[in-house]
Amino acid sequence: MTAMNTIAAPANSTGASSQNDTSSALRFITCGSVDDGKSTLIGRLLVDSKAVLQDQLANVSKSGEADLALFTDGLSAEREQGITIDVAYRYFATPTRKFIIGDAPGHEQYTRNMVTAASSAHAAVVLVDATKLKWNVDGLVDLLPQTRRHSLLVNLLRVPGIIFAVNKLDALGDDAAAAFAKISAALQAFAKQAGIAVTATIPMSALKGHNVVEATPGWCGYQGPSLLALLETLPVTAAETDVPFAFPVQWVEKFHNSADTTQGRRVFWGRVATGTVQVGDTISIHPSGQTAVVAQVVNHARVPGSIAAGHGAGITLDREVDVSRGDWLLAQVTPAADPDDEFADTPKPRAFAEATREIKATVAWMDDEPLVAGRVYLALHGHRWIKAKVKRIVHSLDINTLQEHDATEIAPNAIGHIELTLQEAITAVPYAQSRVLGSLILVDTATHKTSGALLLN
């Protein structure tokens, strides 16, 4: 069985709408291996886009030359060791768009931080250090493990815009064009094998600024746009508005003194995960299984109206029902009738997502201890905590060959396929259909550390 069928599903196989929003702020991350130039790239973007004040530039300058990496490496340990440990966020804007950048660490030990940043990103710039690769060989160039791991993870997390940036080509002098051609071919072959839809592959020098903010036509044989120009055209992640309505309840507001008994006297607040909600919709409540009709919908400013996925909402039902934090409000759908059975009963409406206690999922394991069968963790689904027992380790992914192999454990920072048994049923759909309904996190019951990110299959 190959990775393309299970572990590395293409990022564009989603249930999201096809809207193409290029005006909203773009949240993107830089990722890749250690010392590939991620922090330097962000510093170059900030300086060349005039997003840095003169006194800030002076603070990171040594001997008259700016150390661009210091704009994001703000922890004292990062400056002492010259590495990125935690995700650093920076903000800047061009005349056409605003950007939020996440500088993810490259060390394998801090893969968990990179996964956290990628889970909310609209795009990812995967840097590749040309000076680290043996490009002057016959056949395909061997890519670094972290380049492969980070590329697989951003694809797994459905980051729609993935850009390969081949960095430090200026250090290769006259061999830069040949090196870029060989490395680009290896990246494209890897992406094809893993099912990764690549937006572009750009030759770049973060230190000198080639193809970062301003394009350098013809350099390394590349005639395309600069990295910044490309980022300005990428759409944000589309809201999942074409999936039926789902709403995880985050907070319950009570109005016990209200004299109006024609509807429920509580407002359920949260963010619409999928679909759209409006007055008159019939919904199911999970886990109780009760049904009710939406009596009122308001936005964050308490203005009535329909609310779509990705936006906060306050929902009041037509009657008092038992709903608390962690419960789900789900749209009701009517299953299609069997056309070959004329005596079959008319199908009854039901919640669009089936409740289940048995979960099959892809896991990005982030704990220092390996994941083994039999362990019990706390699982968070929406705003609901449930105990989860690891039933079986199905496969572990070899990031070098992209082949799955039988395993008895999932090593730290590895990707695998597991089966879980939950203490209580959850309403789950595949992650490819919904990021919110199809994802869980596992938390260690003793240390309370986030141990793994689960993407439901």
Side-chain angles (χ1 to χ4, degrees):
M1 182 181 295
T2 62
M4 289 81 80
N5 295 327
T6 53
I7 297 292
N12 57 2
S13 59
T14 72
S17 69
S18 59
Q19 64 188 31
N20 194 31
D21 182 3
T22 58
S23 59
S24 300
L26 184 79
R27 184 184 297 111
F28 71 94
I29 64 168
T30 57
C31 52
S33 192
V34 181
D35 292 330
D36 279 354
K38 298 179 291 297
S39 299
T40 302
L41 170 62
I42 294 178
R44 174 60 61 191
L45 282 169
L46 296 175
V47 170
D48 287 4
S49 62
K50 305 297 188 293
V52 176
L53 299 176
Q54 287 298 322
D55 58 341
Q56 293 174 310
L57 192 59
N59 287 336
V60 299
S61 296
K62 299 176 182 177
S63 303
E65 207 169 307
D67 186 346
L68 299 175
L70 294 182
F71 283 115
T72 55
D73 291 343
L75 299 177
S76 59
E78 293 177 326
R79 292 181 179 237
E80 290 168 1
Q81 301 178 52
I83 63 172
T84 300
I85 296 175
D86 202 357
V87 180
Y89 290 97
R90 292 294 180 267
Y91 309 86
F92 77 101
T94 67
T96 58
R97 196 168 200 184
K98 296 179 180 179
F99 296 93
I100 304 170
I101 320 173
D103 182 19
H107 284 70
E108 183 177 342
Q109 178 184 354
Y110 305 119
T111 299
R112 71 195 73 179
N113 298 13
M114 175 268 169
V115 170
T116 302
S119 64
S120 60
H122 305 137
V125 179
V126 182
L127 271 82
V128 180
D129 186 346
T131 64
K132 294 179 184 176
L133 301 179
K134 297 179 180 179
W135 58 268
N136 195 12
V137 296
D138 294 332
L140 291 176
V141 176
D142 288 333
L143 302 175
L144 297 178
Q146 276 301 77
T147 302
R148 290 172 168 270
R149 181 179 285 108
H150 282 190
S151 301
L152 288 170
L153 286 170
V154 295
N155 186 59
L156 270 176
L157 293 165
R158 287 177 51 187
V159 177
I162 300 176
I163 300 170
F164 286 128
V166 183
N167 193 26
K168 303 186 184 180
L169 285 165
D170 58 299
L172 300 181
D174 295 337
D175 293 328
F180 174 67
K182 291 285 290 185
I183 296 171
S184 178
L187 289 168
Q188 295 303 319
F190 162 68
K192 182 178 180 181
Q193 185 184 6
I196 300 174
V198 181
T199 303
T201 303
I202 302 176
M204 199 176 65
S205 170
L207 185 64
K208 301 298 183 182
H210 300 335
N211 284 331
V212 178
V213 172
E214 298 294 334
T216 310
W219 188 60
C220 296
Y222 177 76
Q223 298 291 345
S226 67
L227 175 65
L228 182 59
L230 187 59
L231 291 171
E232 289 179 328
T233 65
L234 293 182
V236 300
T237 305
E240 295 165 339
T241 53
D242 59 350
V243 182
F245 168 69
F247 180 83
V249 177
Q250 185 175 3
W251 178 53
V252 180
E253 183 181 7
K254 309 173 187 66
F255 288 110
H256 292 310
N257 296 329
S258 172
D260 184 5
T261 58
T262 60
Q263 63 184 37
R265 289 181 287 181
R266 294 185 299 166
V267 183
F268 308 115
W269 290 95
R271 177 177 293 182
V272 179
T274 60
T276 303
V277 60
Q278 57 190 354
V279 173
D281 289 348
T282 301
I283 53 96
S284 292
I285 296 107
H286 180 82
S288 69
Q290 298 184 79
T291 61
V293 176
V294 176
Q296 188 178 34
V297 181
V298 296
N299 64 11
H300 66 283
R302 298 183 185 270
V303 177
S306 62
I307 308 293
H311 299 276
I315 298 174
T316 303
L317 303 179
D318 66 331
R319 61 190 183 88
E320 291 291 352
V321 290
D322 183 13
V323 179
S324 58
R325 176 183 169 88
D327 290 353
W328 286 80
L329 308 184
L330 303 170
Q332 282 206 319
V333 296
T334 303
D338 185 354
D340 298 327
D341 189 354
E342 57 181 316
F343 300 104
D345 295 334
T346 303
K348 295 181 179 179
R350 58 173 174 78
F352 86 94
E354 297 277 348
T356 181
R357 292 180 58 230
E358 301 296 325
I359 295 297
K360 296 180 179 180
T362 299
V363 60
W365 193 242
M366 301 181 287
D367 206 336
D368 296 326
E369 298 295 326
L371 172 65
V372 296
R375 286 287 304 271
V376 175
Y377 294 89
L378 289 173
L380 178 63
H381 183 240
H383 300 293
R384 186 177 175 215
W385 290 97
I386 318 148
K387 281 190 175 181
K389 183 176 182 179
V390 181
K391 180 180 177 182
R392 184 164 76 100
I393 307 296
V394 182
H395 295 113
S396 181
L397 177 69
D398 186 327
I399 62 171
N400 294 309
T401 64
L402 296 184
Q403 298 297 317
E404 294 178 336
H405 55 83
D406 294 337
T408 57
E409 65 179 30
I410 305 295
N413 303 307
I415 303 170
H417 186 192
I418 65 173
E419 294 180 0
L420 294 176
T421 299
L422 305 179
Q423 186 179 40
E424 301 175 30
I426 63 171
T427 50
V429 299
Y431 187 78
Q433 184 179 356
S434 170
R435 288 178 175 83
V436 181
L437 281 163
S439 63
L440 294 91
I441 63 169
L442 294 183
V443 175
D444 190 286
T445 57
T447 64
H448 299 290
K449 292 195 304 184
T450 300
S451 299
L454 265 63
L455 317 176
L456 304 186
N457 299 330

